[in-house]
Amino acid sequence: MTTTEADITEDVIRDLLREQRPDLADRPLRLGARGWDNQVWRLGDDLAVRLPWATGAADDLLRKEHTWLPSLAPHLPLLTPVPQYLGEPSERFPRPWLVTTWVPGEPADRAPATRAAAAAVALAAFLTALHRPAPEGAPAGRDRGGPLADTAEHLARGLARATDLGLIPDPDAVRAVWEDAAAAPGWAGPDVWLHGDLHPANVVTTDGTISGVIDFGDLFAGDPAFDLAAAWILLPDGAVDLFHDAYRPSADAATLRRARGWAVLRALVCLQIGDAGVHGRPGGKATWGPPARASLRRLTASLHQL
């Protein structure tokens, strides 16, 4: 199920609040962002309403976030959109919706982190706190976080598409990073909590450093390398090693290699979403391209470390 832009208006949201949360219905309301899965509307100064619109999977992602994030958020050192109320489908809007706390700041695709040391420490502290062993029954990662070798088709397809569009100057170097990562030993530790979607539009910055993380709909349990890949696309030049030094427990060499492979795949996806000739769904932005290209440049430059 998808929802058109015309299906979500201020009047619709106010009607939903009057039906299910009348105590919030008279708060100021304004559009905050149209994301990949959800629209986000700011509700007063401290709350937000998230409504699925562009993908059918968004319904389950909102429910998952409402189920798991409230118990994780108090242990995280960065601001997160803590769920306050899960709205149920109704005649007015046939999909679930979510009231969360509002996370101030600017998305990192528009305002990248520029203070390398501060941003590296902030991201490392967040992932150190999040990457706790997950309980039995924690959600699985769908097509994320499994053996990298299983993503060979995705890598080939994404690399070919980006190369054809002239978006990658050295596809062989990009492939070499992924191949080394796919050959690394797999994760042998316990499955840990992972954000699962740490790209620049899901991270918030303030004064040049990372101050918040949003959209936990892809939360799952698995190999920490999947989240560690985010350092390559979120941090400025010279910050990845600082991040690795600050993350605890220190990741072993195999985990860092796998993280490079996941970073390649994430950068290719963001590169294609950022290209207007490829993007065909709401939520993609031209601002996703520059951090993806910077990520691939850093990753290929790291080849001498492999």
Side-chain angles (χ1 to χ4, degrees), residues 4-230:
T4 67
E5 185 173 343
D7 292 326
I8 300 177
T9 65
E10 179 178 345
D11 288 342
V12 168
I13 298 172
R14 288 208 182 279
D15 285 349
L16 293 175
L17 292 170
R18 290 188 185 102
E19 291 172 359
Q20 301 188 38
R21 284 300 304 261
D23 56 313
L24 302 177
D26 294 328
R27 284 187 166 217
L29 184 67
R30 64 184 185 275
L31 178 65
R34 293 185 177 95
W36 189 266
D37 293 303
N38 302 290
Q39 287 193 24
V40 182
W41 290 66
R42 191 165 183 179
L43 183 63
D45 293 330
D46 58 341
L47 295 177
V49 183
R50 293 173 60 199
L51 303 98
W53 75 309
T55 66
D59 299 37
D60 290 339
L61 301 184
L62 283 181
R63 292 187 185 280
K64 177 169 61 172
E65 187 169 330
H66 178 262
T67 298
W68 295 101
L69 186 54
S71 63
L72 295 174
H75 305 285
L76 302 177
L78 297 178
L79 294 175
T80 64
V82 184
Q84 304 293 300
Y85 175 77
L86 179 65
E88 292 299 332
S90 66
E91 183 176 347
R92 193 71 171 99
F93 187 74
R95 306 181 69 176
W97 47 280
L98 194 63
V99 177
T100 72
T101 54
W102 174 259
V103 177
E106 291 293 324
D109 62 318
R110 298 180 185 174
T114 54
R115 295 166 51 200
V121 169
L123 181 62
F126 172 80
L127 291 180
T128 293
L130 177 62
H131 288 175
R132 298 183 294 158
E136 185 176 351
R142 299 186 295 167
D143 58 345
R144 305 183 180 196
L148 260 171
D150 292 349
T151 68
E153 183 177 342
H154 295 291
L155 181 281
R157 185 167 58 246
L159 191 56
R161 189 176 300 154
T163 302
D164 289 344
L165 290 167
L167 301 176
I168 298 179
D170 191 350
D172 290 339
V174 173
R175 185 181 296 106
V177 175
W178 179 88
E179 288 176 347
D180 176 81
W187 176 243
D191 287 345
V192 300
W193 279 117
L194 305 174
H195 177 277
D197 202 20
L198 286 172
H199 60 72
N202 282 342
V203 170
V204 171
T205 64
T206 304
D207 297 329
T209 190
I210 296 173
S211 56
V213 177
I214 62 175
D215 195 349
F216 284 73
D218 283 299
L219 188 75
F220 72 96
D223 175 4
F226 191 85
D227 271 359
L228 297 182

